[in-house]
Amino acid sequence: MRWNKKLGCIKIRVGFSSQVFVVTDMKDHKKQIVFSWGVFFWCTICITITCFAALGLLFTDGFNPGVVSTWNIPANDAVSPELPEIPAISIQQTVIFPDEALVFLKYPPSSTLFTKDAINCIYLHPNSTQPQLELSPSSVDFDYDNHHQIVRCPLPPRGTVPSLVIKQKVNLRPGPTYEWDSLAYEALIDRDNTTVVFVKGFNLRSGKADDPSKFKCIYGQDLTKSKFVLQADVVSVAQEIVRCKTPPSILRLISSNNDNPFKVSVRFVGKRAINSIARVKIDKPLHNNKQHQMCMCTMLRNQARFLREWVTYHSRIGVDRYFIYDNNSDDDIEGTIDSLVGDDYNITRHVWPWIKTQEAGFAHCALKARDSCEWVGFTDIDEFLHLPTNVSLQDVVKNQTRQSDVGELRISCHTFGPSGLKEIPEQGVMVGYTCRMVAPERHKSIVRPEALDSSLINVVHHFNLKTRFRHVNVDRSLLVINHYKYQVWEVFKEKFVRRAPAYVADWQQDKDVGSKDRTPGLGTKPVEPSDWSTRYCQVWDTRLKKWILENFTDPETGLLPWEKIRLNV
């Protein structure tokens, strides 16, 4: 900008063009200013861009909301003005199990994930940066539901905390570390806007609801700062599942923020809250209608070699959709599932690393399956639905549930033994194991998810239902479960590692030895009895074997479908 005495004007350069403001001689009392429309245009553009930039900062992922300590302050007042930089790869948290440590890695968007060969587990003394020990991880997994990577490390030596080192010798700072025996580990917002929290540590009775007034839920970014958390009432509490009344401000904030910073935990009234890694998230349904008449849910660990047989068979008899809850497998279960998906089976894998939480996992699966499945069967991978009359599974379910108040079908289980075998049968479990106990043992269930009680109480075998629903015991001549429980020792001994249900003792524990949940005549040591191959054999039952050979055998190769995959034929 400069004054031109000759012209009596100010010349200003705006953008890429010069504009002239004409002004009379400064000595004149009447000063006349003439504005150029070009200047007005460029100023308007600049102001508009500035406004949109400010709004962009407000609503991008960098916007970091905080939690306030009072219910009366609007949600917008809880917003932190700080805009953090894009974080580097970091350890979000670590959970110490009895036999290993789970390290959860958080990645920036579009980052390349580490492979098992790219990282090692290291162990440090508190407040030290010098590793005391470096070991290879047992496995590395990615949790697609929660968008983090899980590194499974050997159990840390006493007095150390686990961390990770990139092979280029870049140490990652250890994250907060939690013991597994007292931890809120999963949470989701249900369709009624309550928060369902899965919690270890209250040690409540199996199958019984507790008094919700004895508990409170708390929400916040940092639950250790009591001045900056929200409290909420508990709607129901049973076993390891707590249902909370979600604060409206939390609902609004997490609905608009994909990178959700809010955790939730539960406490006894008057006591501190249980540690939490459970982040509140809204479980958006994939479909708005029931796309599938019959679905199946199972939880497994290192059962990849049996999964194809289980899925192939159940699909033939009428199952449409599968939910696989993977409980720390390291046998390439993901590759097996990818192969099944490639063969047009509708199956998804859900990473569920939480040990001894089968009841909670089944409740979680019931919520996941509810929006797309009319009925869901809950069985183990060694349990096969058998239809002695050769009708379809969906026809049996339809006939048994003609009355609208039926919410659950209970199916008896026949327990099969090793049937004289000492090696894994090449044709699969349904053809290989044909000798069983005479009396049925317990039952498993097919449930209507809409009929489940809001507490989600289940004892693995069945769920509690809403008061207006009832269960039906299905006649064994129509539908029964072949439970290949006692297989050859090579397979059975893996059960000694850990059992899935929360309320069932592991076989190596000297506890409840006389219970039906234990193996009759077997102690607490994984030592093969000399007569194992002939045990648990009272009656030969070849009905399902014959049906499999008649309906699945390839006429050209003489092989069953799961044999062909194994032999790459």
Side-chain angles (χ1 to χ4, degrees):
M1 179 180 71
R2 66 178 184 274
W3 174 257
N4 190 317
K5 291 184 178 180
K6 184 176 181 180
L7 296 176
C9 67
I10 297 174
K11 188 175 184 180
I12 303 176
R13 180 170 296 275
V14 181
F16 295 102
S17 63
S18 296
Q19 304 296 333
V20 178
F21 289 70
V22 181
V23 184
T24 61
D25 192 305
M26 295 298 292
K27 295 179 181 179
D28 292 346
H29 294 288
K30 295 181 180 180
K31 300 178 179 62
Q32 183 180 8
I33 300 176
V34 180
F35 291 97
S36 166
W37 284 106
V39 174
F40 179 80
F41 171 79
W42 283 108
C43 290
T44 303
I45 291 295
C46 291
I47 293 171
T48 303
I49 292 174
T50 302
C51 291
F52 275 105
L55 289 173
L57 288 175
L58 188 62
F59 291 106
T60 55
D61 289 341
F63 177 58
N64 194 13
V67 184
V68 294
S69 59
T70 173
W71 290 73
N72 298 322
I73 299 178
N76 290 340
D77 293 345
V79 171
S80 168
E82 298 180 3
L83 298 173
E85 297 179 358
I86 296 176
I89 297 171
S90 61
I91 295 177
Q92 188 174 39
Q93 66 238 348
T94 299
V95 178
I96 306 297
F97 284 165
D99 54 357
E100 64 180 354
L102 265 59
V103 182
F104 294 78
L105 276 177
K106 184 177 182 180
Y107 285 79
S110 304
S111 295
T112 302
L113 300 179
F114 288 131
T115 63
K116 181 181 177 182
D117 296 332
I119 51 179
N120 271 343
C121 304
I122 58 174
Y123 304 88
L124 309 95
H125 289 304
N127 302 319
S128 171
T129 59
Q130 184 63 37
Q132 302 298 307
L133 181 65
E134 183 171 334
L135 298 172
S136 298
S138 57
S139 65
V140 175
D141 206 348
F142 189 76
D143 183 354
Y144 292 94
D145 290 338
N146 295 300
H147 307 290
H148 54 220
Q149 195 170 28
I150 301 174
V151 182
R152 295 181 175 89
C153 292
L155 198 64
R158 185 182 298 273
T160 65
V161 294
S163 187
L164 300 174
V165 58
I166 304 173
K167 288 295 179 68
Q168 289 83 357
K169 297 303 178 184
V170 177
N171 290 3
L172 298 181
R173 184 189 300 274
T177 302
Y178 306 100
E179 294 291 336
W180 169 240
D181 58 0
S182 180
L183 189 68
Y185 54 92
E186 287 278 351
L188 56 84
I189 303 294
D190 202 0
R191 58 166 62 154
D192 62 356
N193 286 336
T194 58
T195 306
V196 180
V197 189
F198 299 88
V199 187
K200 274 281 184 186
F202 285 131
N203 300 319
L204 305 179
R205 291 188 300 168
S206 173
K208 301 292 183 181
D210 212 311
D211 180 4
S213 67
K214 299 191 305 185
F215 301 84
K216 286 288 184 182
C217 297
I218 62 170
Y219 297 78
Q221 290 178 312
D222 185 349
L223 300 181
T224 63
K225 297 179 179 179
S226 59
K227 292 183 179 180
F228 298 97
V229 300
L230 289 174
Q231 293 196 56
D233 291 335
V234 171
V235 178
S236 65
V237 56
Q239 298 181 165
E240 296 183 353
I241 304 170
V242 181
R243 190 179 287 271
C244 312
K245 185 177 180 180
T246 314
S249 56
I250 294 293
L251 286 172
R252 289 194 296 270
L253 286 169
I254 64 175
S255 297
S256 60
N257 187 10
N258 292 328
D259 188 17
N260 173 31
F262 296 107
K263 291 182 180 180
V264 60
S265 186
V266 186
R267 65 178 178 85
F268 278 113
V269 173
K271 296 185 178 181
R272 66 178 295 273
I274 279 182
N275 288 328
S276 177
I277 62 171
R279 296 185 181 275
V280 186
K281 53 184 176 290
I282 296 178
D283 189 35
K284 297 179 180 178
L286 297 176
H287 308 286
N288 294 323
N289 61 338
K290 305 282 188 182
Q291 287 201 330
H292 309 294
Q293 180 68 21
M294 185 67 206
C295 302
M296 292 280 278
C297 178
T298 191
M299 184 179 293
L300 54 75
R301 180 181 182 274
N302 290 344
Q303 299 292 311
R305 58 187 169 186
F306 305 119
L307 183 60
R308 178 169 284 274
E309 179 182 1
W310 189 79
V311 170
T312 304
Y313 167 72
H314 284 104
S315 296
R316 174 69 70 89
I317 66 172
V319 177
D320 306 312
R321 174 83 163 85
Y322 300 88
F323 298 84
I324 308 299
Y325 276 58
D326 182 6
N327 196 213
N328 298 307
S329 297
D330 56 9
D331 61 348
D332 192 32
I333 186 71
E334 191 169 10
T336 301
I337 291 175
D338 288 344
S339 175
L340 287 164
V341 171
D343 291 338
D344 293 329
Y345 291 104
N346 194 339
I347 176 172
T348 52
R349 170 177 174 259
H350 301 268
V351 175
W352 188 263
W354 320 117
I355 63 173
K356 293 191 72 65
T357 58
Q358 190 173 35
E359 297 90 342
F362 278 1
H364 191 276
C365 185
L367 295 177
K368 285 281 188 181
R370 180 182 54 194
D371 291 304
S372 58
C373 302
E374 191 70 41
W375 293 91
V376 184
F378 291 86
T379 70
D380 294 333
I381 200 70
D382 58 357
E383 295 172 332
F384 291 73
L385 297 170
H386 174 39
L387 298 149
T389 58
N390 296 331
V391 298
S392 75
L393 177 60
Q394 293 187 12
D395 284 342
V396 171
V397 172
K398 183 178 179 180
N399 291 334
Q400 294 290 311
T401 59
R402 291 187 181 277
Q403 295 180 327
S404 60
D405 64 341
V406 177
E408 180 181 57
L409 301 179
R410 295 186 178 179
I411 308 158
S412 299
C413 299
H414 280 315
T415 301
F416 283 72
S419 306
L421 302 180
K422 295 186 177 181
E423 296 181 354
I424 297 174
E426 294 184 355
Q427 291 182 294
V429 298
M430 292 182 288
V431 173
Y433 301 111
T434 54
C435 196
R436 61 172 174 83
M437 305 295 285
V438 173
E441 183 183 74
R442 297 201 169 183
H443 63 265
K444 291 296 174 74
S445 297
I446 297 174
V447 304
R448 189 197 303 269
E450 303 288 353
L452 301 185
D453 184 77
S454 62
S455 67
L456 298 174
I457 290 176
N458 70 89
V459 288
V460 178
H461 311 290
H462 58 261
F463 283 80
N464 281 16
L465 304 178
K466 295 175 182 176
T467 54
R468 67 177 183 273
F469 289 97
R470 62 185 176 90
H471 72 267
V472 168
N473 294 316
V474 181
D475 192 288
R476 294 201 303 275
S477 65
L478 296 174
L479 180 62
V480 69
I481 288 178
N482 281 12
H483 185 187
Y484 301 103
K485 182 176 181 179
Y486 305 120
Q487 299 186 33
V488 296
W489 185 258
E490 178 185 347
V491 175
F492 181 81
K493 68 180 181 181
E494 295 179 4
K495 294 180 181 288
F496 277 88
V497 175
R498 186 188 302 118
R499 301 187 71 189
Y503 294 92
V504 173
D506 289 339
W507 269 313
Q508 295 192 66
Q509 292 179 302
D510 190 12
K511 181 181 178 182
D512 299 333
V513 176
S515 168
K516 291 183 179 180
D517 291 311
R518 307 301 293 254
T519 302
L522 195 65
T524 59
K525 304 294 183 183
V527 178
E528 180 180 5
S530 59
D531 62 342
W532 177 258
S533 65
T534 59
R535 287 190 178 189
Y536 320 112
C537 178
Q538 295 177 340
V539 59
W540 293 93
D541 184 346
T542 60
R543 292 175 297 172
L544 185 54
K545 172 184 177 177
K546 291 178 180 178
W547 191 87
I548 292 296
L549 293 176
E550 291 173 359
N551 290 274
F552 281 95
T553 303
D554 187 317
E556 295 183 1
T557 64
L559 299 174
L560 299 172
W562 39 93
E563 282 187 283
K564 294 171 68 175
I565 295 296
R566 179 175 56 83
L567 298 173
N568 197 25
V569 175

